[in-house]
Amino acid sequence: MLPLLLAALAQAPSIPVPERPRDPWVFRCVLDSKPRIAAIALSSEMWLAYDATNCGLERAWKGGVLFDGAVYTAEHGPQPTSAGPSYLRGIAGPVWEATLEDGRRASGAVWRGYELVDRRVVLLYEVALPGGGVATVRETPEFVRPEHFFDAEQREQWALQEGTPGLLRRFSAEGLPPRSKLTLAVRIDENVGRFAPLLERERRVEEPQADGSTATHDLASLVLLAEMPRAELLLFFAPRPEPPPEPAAQAPGTEVDPAAEAAKGGRR
């Protein structure tokens, strides 16, 4: 299984770049009342929101962003909101941890912005190391489908339908001391197919909800080693329904261009 998976993931550079549904397709904003969000329109099938406070994935969904608020519509009070059904929710709080050879640990990461490279986005983080210093992490997320990796026989083996929406997250790390590692806590539920060469500490956790109930989530830790500073996480999801149509546009002469405004501050 592992050789097949590694061979499939090696095809990632040849994955076609999806048509981005808007321009700019990467921008910073307050989203769903949460500050410091980087929104990424990978395709009309998948949008992502990253939490720039903890450098983790906040949400993956099908739909888009409704641009409300003073910056976008001159209306005070509302803020941009994500619109459409979720594929995956993120994890609250710090998600990155560094462990040295002697067992010392440190958690937390700092957002260092993003770059656009060959029509893909590369997210930049610095993860704190025990005793001082940082490791630099680059993450490239992309919208994918099973046929980008597997032939018909392999898709049947994994019970994956052609056209199933998927998310590939590719990571690389620099600056790790010898025999140290970085781990990223990730959600591994809510999917119909999961592929990752290096996952550890698979676990089930309970999270209190606002209504007083408790939700159960399956988590794992993706691993980046000093000796193997690259890792991938490939998830496939059940297709989601089309989101409801966006509200009607404002009257001519009253619009504020959301694309230009939302692009400001991408590296703050």
Side-chain angles (χ1 to χ4, degrees):
M1 172 179 172
L2 183 57
L4 171 62
L5 175 58
L6 293 175
L9 291 175
Q11 301 178 36
S14 64
I15 293 172
V17 176
E19 181 180 354
R20 311 303 185 190
R22 60 170 287 113
D23 184 19
W25 58 279
V26 185
F27 53 93
R28 291 288 301 276
C29 65
V30 175
L31 186 67
D32 298 333
S33 300
K34 296 180 180 179
R36 304 198 69 209
I37 294 293
I40 305 173
L42 288 181
S43 95
S44 60
E45 291 285 326
M46 182 175 291
W47 285 59
L48 304 179
Y50 277 82
D51 173 13
T53 298
N54 294 305
C55 301
L57 180 64
E58 175 70 22
R59 186 187 180 202
W61 77 102
K62 179 177 182 178
V65 170
L66 300 181
F67 292 96
D68 292 322
V71 173
Y72 309 102
T73 63
E75 182 181 353
H76 292 273
Q79 294 284 357
T81 55
S82 57
S86 290
Y87 292 112
L88 182 68
R89 294 282 185 174
I91 300 171
V95 292
W96 286 98
E97 183 177 77
T99 305
L100 298 186
E101 182 183 14
D102 60 10
R104 287 182 295 161
R105 296 184 177 186
S107 62
V110 176
W111 175 267
R112 292 305 184 197
Y114 60 84
E115 301 171 344
L116 297 179
V117 180
D118 295 331
R119 298 186 294 158
R120 304 189 197 273
V121 65
V122 180
L123 310 177
L124 308 174
Y125 320 132
E126 287 183 349
V127 181
L129 298 175
V134 297
T136 301
V137 175
R138 291 174 170 81
E139 176 183 353
T140 302
E142 189 56 277
F143 175 75
V144 294
R145 300 187 188 276
E147 54 267 30
H148 295 150
F149 303 92
F150 308 115
D151 60 29
E153 182 178 348
Q154 292 166 341
R155 293 196 300 272
E156 183 177 0
Q157 177 184 354
W158 303 119
L160 292 171
Q161 299 293 322
E162 183 176 355
T164 297
L167 172 63
L168 173 64
R169 301 175 67 184
R170 307 200 80 185
F171 300 86
S172 65
E174 298 178 357
L176 278 172
R179 291 174 292 281
S180 64
K181 70 177 181 179
L182 300 179
T183 57
L184 170 65
V186 294
R187 290 275 297 271
I188 56 172
D189 47 11
E190 303 183 13
N191 62 78
V192 297
R194 167 171 57 90
F195 304 89
L198 289 176
L199 281 182
E200 66 178 24
R201 295 183 58 218
E202 295 191 21
R203 56 206 184 269
R204 181 159 292 180
V205 300
E206 294 184 347
E207 180 181 14
Q209 303 296 295
D211 61 3
S213 63
T214 300
T216 301
H217 305 306
D218 293 328
L219 309 183
S221 295
L222 181 137
V223 181
L224 290 159
L225 301 172
E227 295 73 25
M228 295 180 61
R230 297 181 182 274
E232 294 86 11
L233 176 62
L234 176 59
L235 301 173
F236 292 104
F237 308 95
R240 299 301 194 257
E242 292 295 330
E246 295 187 12
Q250 289 179 279
T254 65
E255 305 93 334
V256 176
D257 181 4
E261 295 296 334
K264 295 179 180 178
R267 298 183 65 87
R268 289 202 299 269

